[in-house]
Every structure is written in C-alpha cells, then in structure tokens.
Amino acid sequence: MKKISRANIEKLIKSKLTGNDISVFLVLLLHANEEKGAIYILEVSINIVFSILSRNFPYLSRSSFYASFKRLESYGLISVREDKNAIFINDPELITAFEGDFKTKGYITLPDFVFSKDFHNLSVSGKRLTLKLLSMLNGSTNHKPVRLDPSDPALMSLLRKNTSQQVRNVFEEVKIFFKIVHTNNDIFECRISKKAFQFELILKHISPLNIFKRVYKVVVSFFRRWGYNYTLSELEKLVMALRWFKKKEIYEKLKKYIRLETTIHDFEAYFTSF
C-alpha cells in the first residue's frame, strides 16, 4: 500500500485531468521510493518507466502514458530532475507528515484496488469519487460511513455533473469498491467494502536490462570492442541513441569521444553533441 496526502488527492481530482492521467499518477506513486519525506523514482528515464510499468499494467498505452506524464508535470503533480536522474512525486503535505513523526493526519493509505484494471476502467468521475471517499474514510474499514448528498453543488462540481441523477449514476459505478446505502432522504451512506480489499496486487520483478533485450547484444559488443565497463544509465543512453540514429552515424560520433585502446573519456559530451 502507498501513502498520499489529502491535499494531493484534492489537487489530483480537482485538476482538469483525464481518467488515464489519474491512473498514471497512482501507478507512478506505486513504484516510487520514500526517503526522508521525498517520494521519487531514481535512475530512470520516462522510456524506462513506461517499459517497466507496461509489463505490470498492460492497459497503459505508450502514447497515452506520455501524454498523461506531460499533463501531470504541467499541473505540478510530478517533476523531472535531470540533475538527479529522477522523477519526483510532488507532495509537500506528505513530506510534512513524514517529518512530523507520523502523528499528523495529513496523509492516507491507498488500498491496492486503486492500482487495478477495474479502477482504471472507471470513468473520470468514478475515479474522482473513489479517491474523495478514500480521503474522507481515511482508508479504514471500521470508520463511520460518510454521508453524501447527490444534489450537493460542491459534489456535482467535483464530479463534473449537471444533475443529481448523474451523480447517483456515479455512486452506482463505484459500488464495486464501496458498500453504499441509498437512504429515503436521498443521502448516500458509504463505507469501504471488505471485498475491495480482496484485490491482490502482484507485480512482476523486471530487470532493467530486459528493457534493452532487442539491442542488448549490439550494445555489449559495441562497448567490449574497447573494453569499456558501462553503467546501466550509460547503457540506456546508448540504446536510445541507437534507436534514433543509424549505427554508422553513431560510430562516427563515438570516435570523437573514445580512445580506442581504453575507455570513453567524455561520455556526457558525446550525448550532448546530438
């Protein structure tokens, strides 16, 4: 399970993001590390992130992932730090929670079902309502039910609906995850369904080298020709170059930066030369 601040949930569901954008953000959060309040994915490029995620989440297409990544970045929900070769999840409220010895209620725990295909297939309104309910229920199955009025203007605005009947339809949609009782007063009482916690997230362990399997042998022989011991990040960069340029052009460029008898002496200068 992963933690997220209520402030970030509000930003995620109130921004003009698509349903796919929300799924991409949550999947990125799932793969992020936490250290001293920083939430990040280290030593990766966007290409590598997609290659890893696509194995576990095949419903994410490459084009839609890249588009969602850019929108999340534009809304300030994620940031790319090229100097640290990392992707950061921008969640200052969660950082405050970590620094406060976990005594603050600034964050909640997300159950695994938000990373499932069933959640991904919800409408964008269904995803907004699911995250809103999780924020209000604080991720606890024993918490008192939340009472919501489908005619509440604030709720209608959040779900981008014009009528209370449209809001009722969204409640019907999220019943897969919540136990919802519609009272005679047209109020919905919601609590998390125990069945929702039966979603078991199983992630495949993927070696980063598998990402490059189609060109790995070419890259290895390319480096071994000069006896160079490459790092993984350097391997990734060279693979990207091989994909975009002809091998002959790569060879001619490399000759400027490689001492044939020993090693590459200025790798960064080589890649910035393209």
Side-chain angles (χ1 to χ4, degrees):
M1 294 186 179
K2 283 289 183 175
K3 297 181 180 70
I4 185 174
S5 69
R6 285 189 178 85
N8 233 24
I9 284 185
E10 290 297 315
K11 190 173 183 180
L12 188 64
I13 62 181
K14 289 182 178 180
S15 300
K16 294 181 180 179
L17 297 171
T18 69
N20 194 75
D21 299 343
I22 294 174
S23 290
V24 168
F25 177 84
L26 293 174
V27 170
L28 287 172
L29 178 66
L30 176 66
H31 282 78
N33 300 305
E34 300 167 359
E35 183 179 345
K36 296 181 180 178
I39 306 98
Y40 61 90
I41 306 173
L42 193 62
E43 292 294 333
V44 292
S45 68
I46 299 177
N47 292 320
I48 291 182
V49 169
F50 173 76
S51 297
I52 293 174
L53 298 185
S54 62
R55 303 293 182 89
N56 287 300
F57 304 95
Y59 50 80
L60 296 176
S61 70
R62 182 179 293 273
S63 59
S64 62
F65 173 80
Y66 282 30
S68 293
F69 192 97
K70 292 300 181 184
R71 277 193 292 271
L72 290 168
E73 194 175 9
S74 68
Y75 278 102
L77 286 157
I78 62 175
S79 59
V80 179
R81 289 283 301 276
E82 295 182 358
D83 59 325
K84 295 185 179 298
N85 198 22
I87 298 169
F88 282 81
I89 309 297
N90 299 336
D91 198 338
E93 296 294 329
L94 185 54
I95 292 174
T96 301
F98 274 92
E99 293 175 345
D101 297 325
F102 299 93
K103 294 180 180 180
T104 177
K105 294 183 179 180
Y107 64 89
I108 67 167
T109 300
L110 291 173
D112 284 346
F113 66 72
V114 301
F115 309 110
S116 69
K117 187 175 182 180
D118 288 321
F119 176 84
H120 178 75
N121 288 337
L122 292 176
S123 67
V124 63
S125 296
K127 290 177 180 178
R128 288 190 179 114
L129 180 57
T130 297
L131 293 175
K132 182 65 174 178
L133 287 173
L134 287 175
S135 177
M136 297 174 72
L137 290 166
N138 199 26
S140 171
T141 55
N142 298 319
H143 198 280
K144 293 180 180 180
V146 168
R147 295 170 60 87
L148 292 173
D149 183 351
S151 60
D152 180 3
L155 183 60
M156 293 174 67
S157 175
L158 176 69
L159 302 182
R160 310 295 198 273
K161 299 302 180 184
N162 298 318
T163 67
S164 56
Q165 182 55 52
Q166 291 175 333
V167 175
R168 294 188 193 98
N169 293 340
V170 180
F171 276 96
E172 191 68 28
E173 185 182 1
V174 302
K175 277 187 175 180
I176 185 174
F177 300 128
F178 299 94
K179 183 178 180 181
I180 300 176
V181 177
H182 191 189
T183 69
N184 294 331
N185 296 326
D186 199 24
I187 299 295
F188 285 91
E189 292 187 350
C190 312
R191 66 172 79 236
I192 299 178
S193 168
K194 291 183 179 180
K195 292 183 179 180
F197 287 90
Q198 295 175 1
F199 284 85
E200 184 179 358
L201 186 64
I202 301 175
L203 299 177
K204 302 174 185 177
H205 175 72
I206 303 168
S207 168
L209 290 180
N210 289 337
I211 299 169
F212 313 121
K213 61 183 179 180
R214 293 186 180 181
V215 291
Y216 180 65
K217 292 182 179 179
V218 176
V219 173
V220 169
S221 62
F222 200 83
F223 274 81
R224 284 179 179 172
R225 188 177 305 173
W226 299 290
Y228 184 73
N229 294 322
Y230 56 84
T231 66
L232 183 59
S233 60
E234 290 169 341
L235 172 62
E236 178 214 346
K237 290 178 180 179
L238 186 58
V239 169
M240 293 304 113
L242 285 169
R243 287 177 177 174
W244 285 100
F245 299 93
K246 295 179 182 179
K247 293 178 184 177
K248 184 177 180 181
E249 294 172 339
I250 292 291
Y251 177 78
E252 294 300 321
K253 274 189 174 293
L254 278 175
K255 285 198 300 186
K256 300 178 182 179
Y257 299 97
I258 293 178
R259 295 196 300 270
L260 298 184
E261 73 281 5
T262 54
T263 63
I264 296 177
H265 60 85
D266 197 345
F267 213 91
E268 289 301 320
Y270 159 65
F271 283 108
T272 56
S273 69
F274 285 107

